[in-house]
């Protein structure tokens, strides 16, 4: 790839702004993942209740992404991003100063979903500046903002332990949100190719297309797997291996790093060899790793397995969004919200599957086996649909077509 050509083809300040917005939002979105094992000291929870607590922010993000996706097309990704950061401050202040019951904490958890909805504004802000041949890399760089998870898993429990209060973590999280809001407001800029505002009927038109649902399925596994694991692994390490809250979060950090920082690599490789090829390999890796995890081996072995599995999920996120903008060039705001919502739903169900099966069977093995089977099923799905994609809108293996040919194919 020609680095200078990539930089000249888009708007670097907006790309950086999209990354930072997504990064701090993701940090806030998964705040209750590592903190759940600390919150237990104030509000005792069984396995199913812990799963509910960490799943609710993902559910909230899934629902609100549709709203932010619509707003992105109506008022633009910059204004939508600014609104998203302002609204994110509400559950942070509530969690910091006013929560006094598990029921209220559930409400705060659901409201944290507005941070997860940042996906619907951050990615269009970046992608609309770049041509098809650089979509994978641009979306991968912006999407690497899921690295915000690393800051949460690394520092949240340490801060809670230092201050003797998990509530103070919510208060301190306001600082990076405010800083990024100022940076974003100054440097982010909507693309001059901003499409005209969409109507609600346009959502219906997109939802009628088969490929919309296919991408929803694929992304619910890659992104849903990443964010669901990011939120639940601290509980897993704490419960299965008896690690302290801080050490459990540290092991989660190791796994999260893989998924976060390899997302741009997945997008870049998808640009080079094709998103279809990438996804078939990555789903196979995820399926195999989770099948091995289901055996619940030693801590060192399972950390390696989860690291590789999370790396494949992160690269899969970048690979899916190498394909999406090519298929839905004119509806990128709408489709980002819809597919992002599906990814959130996948992340919501993952902790529920692991937590509820742990509660009912006493073991994590059945849950990981089910997740492995779902990943492997995606390979069959792609195998079935790839020929029709190649005939209509995509090149060999999922590479981008020439822009003129592509516009004709999807029109």
């Amino acid at each position: 790839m020609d680095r200078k050509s990539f930089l000249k083809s888009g708007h670097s300040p907006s790309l950086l702004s999209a990354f930072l917005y997504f990064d701090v939002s993701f940090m806030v979105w998964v705040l209750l993942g590592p903190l759940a094992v600390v919150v237990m000291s104030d509000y005792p929870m069984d396995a199913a209740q812990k799963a509910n607590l960490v799943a609710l922010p993902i559910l909230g993000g899934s629902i609100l992404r549709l709203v932010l996706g619509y707003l992105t097309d109506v008022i633009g990704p910059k204004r939508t991003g600014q609104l998203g950061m302002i609204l994110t401050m509400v559950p942070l202040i509530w969690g910091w100063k006013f929560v006094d019951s598990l029921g209220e904490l559930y409400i705060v958890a659901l409201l944290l979903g507005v941070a997860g909805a940042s996906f619907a504004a951050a990615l269009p802000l970046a992608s609309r500046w770049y041509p098809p041949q650089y979509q994978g890399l641009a979306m991968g760089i912006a999407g690497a903002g899921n690295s915000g998870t690393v800051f949460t898993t690394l520092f949240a429990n340490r801060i809670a332990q230092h201050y003797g209060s998990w509530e103070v973590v919510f208060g301190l999280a306001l600082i990076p949100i405010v800083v990024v809001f100022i940076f974003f407001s100054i440097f982010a800029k909507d693309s001059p190719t901003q499409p005209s505002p969409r109507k609600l009927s346009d959502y219906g038109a997109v939802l009628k297309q088969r490929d919309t649902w296919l991408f929803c399925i694929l992304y619910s596994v890659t992104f849903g797997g990443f964010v669901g694991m990011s939120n639940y692994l601290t509980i897993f390490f704490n419960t299965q291996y008896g690690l302290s809250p801080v050490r459990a979060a540290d092991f989660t950090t190791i796994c999260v790093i893989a998924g976060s920082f390899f997302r741009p690599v997945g997008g870049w490789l998808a640009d080079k060899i094709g998103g279809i090829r990438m996804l078939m390999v990555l789903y196979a890796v995820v399926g195999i790793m989770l099948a091995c995890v289901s055996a619940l081996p030693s801590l060192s072995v399972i950390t390696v397995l989860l690291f590789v599995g999370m790396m494949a999920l992160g690269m899969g996120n970048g690979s899916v969004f190498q394909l999406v903008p090519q298929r839905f060039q004119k509806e990128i705001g709408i489709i980002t919200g819809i597919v992002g919502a599906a990814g959130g739903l996948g992340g919501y169900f993952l902790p529920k599957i692991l937590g509820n099966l742990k509660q009912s069977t006493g073991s994590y093995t059945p849950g990981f086996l089910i997740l492995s089977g779902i990943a492997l099923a995606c390979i069959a799905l792609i195998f079935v649909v790839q020929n029709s994609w190649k005939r209509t809108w995509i090149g060999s293996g999922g590479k981008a077509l020439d822009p003129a040919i592509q516009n004709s194919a999807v029109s």
Side-chain angles (χ1 to χ4, degrees), residues 64-198:
L64 291 170
R65 280 183 191 190
L66 295 174
V67 178
L68 264 65
Y70 177 72
L71 287 175
T72 294
D73 281 326
V74 174
I75 65 175
K78 178 174 180 176
R79 290 180 180 176
T80 303
Q82 291 172 314
L83 177 62
M85 281 184 273
I86 291 172
L87 292 177
T88 297
M89 298 177 192
V90 174
L92 289 178
I93 294 172
W94 192 350
W96 176 29
K97 290 294 186 180
F98 303 110
V99 167
D100 60 8
S101 70
L102 182 59
E104 283 192 21
L105 190 57
Y106 280 153
I107 297 174
V108 169
L110 190 63
L111 292 177
L112 285 174
V114 72
S118 60
F119 187 102
L123 294 195
L125 176 67
S127 70
R128 287 173 180 170
W129 280 102
Y130 292 87
Q133 64 268 30
Y134 295 130
Q135 285 289 328
L137 181 58
M139 297 284 266
I141 291 173
N146 57 30
S147 60
T149 309
V150 174
F151 295 107
T152 300
T153 56
L154 193 59
F155 296 114
N157 287 356
R158 282 185 166 82
I159 293 172
Q161 185 180 69
H162 177 76
Y163 288 99
S165 166
W166 54 267
E167 292 92 342
V168 74
V169 181
F170 282 78
L172 291 175
L174 287 164
I175 298 173
I177 287 289
V178 171
V179 171
V180 171
F181 177 83
I182 295 171
F183 182 95
F184 187 92
S185 298
I186 295 172
F187 293 104
K189 183 180 179 182
D190 288 336
S191 168
T193 59
Q194 177 81 2
S196 58
R198 297 288 177 171

Side-chain angles (χ1 to χ4, degrees), residues 233-250:
L233 282 181
T234 301
I235 295 173
F236 170 72
F237 283 123
N238 174 258
T239 304
Q240 183 66 33
Y241 295 96
L243 302 183
S244 68
V246 171
R247 275 181 52 83
D250 285 344

Side-chain angles (χ1 to χ4, degrees), residues 174-260:
L174 287 164
I175 298 173
I177 287 289
V178 171
V179 171
V180 171
F181 177 83
I182 295 171
F183 182 95
F184 187 92
S185 298
I186 295 172
F187 293 104
K189 183 180 179 182
D190 288 336
S191 168
T193 59
Q194 177 81 2
S196 58
R198 297 288 177 171
K199 301 176 182 178
L200 288 176
S201 60
D202 294 325
Y203 277 86
V206 171
L207 287 169
K208 290 179 182 178
Q209 300 188 52
R210 183 197 65 170
D211 288 347
T212 299
W213 296 100
L214 292 174
F215 284 128
C216 283
I217 293 171
L218 297 177
Y219 202 63
S220 69
V221 176
T222 58
F223 183 78
F226 171 79
V227 71
M229 286 289 192
S230 297
N231 261 19
Y232 195 76
L233 282 181
T234 301
I235 295 173
F236 170 72
F237 283 123
N238 174 258
T239 304
Q240 183 66 33
Y241 295 96
L243 302 183
S244 68
V246 171
R247 275 181 52 83
D250 285 344
F251 276 88
T252 300
T253 302
I254 294 171
C255 302
V256 167
I257 285 173
S260 299

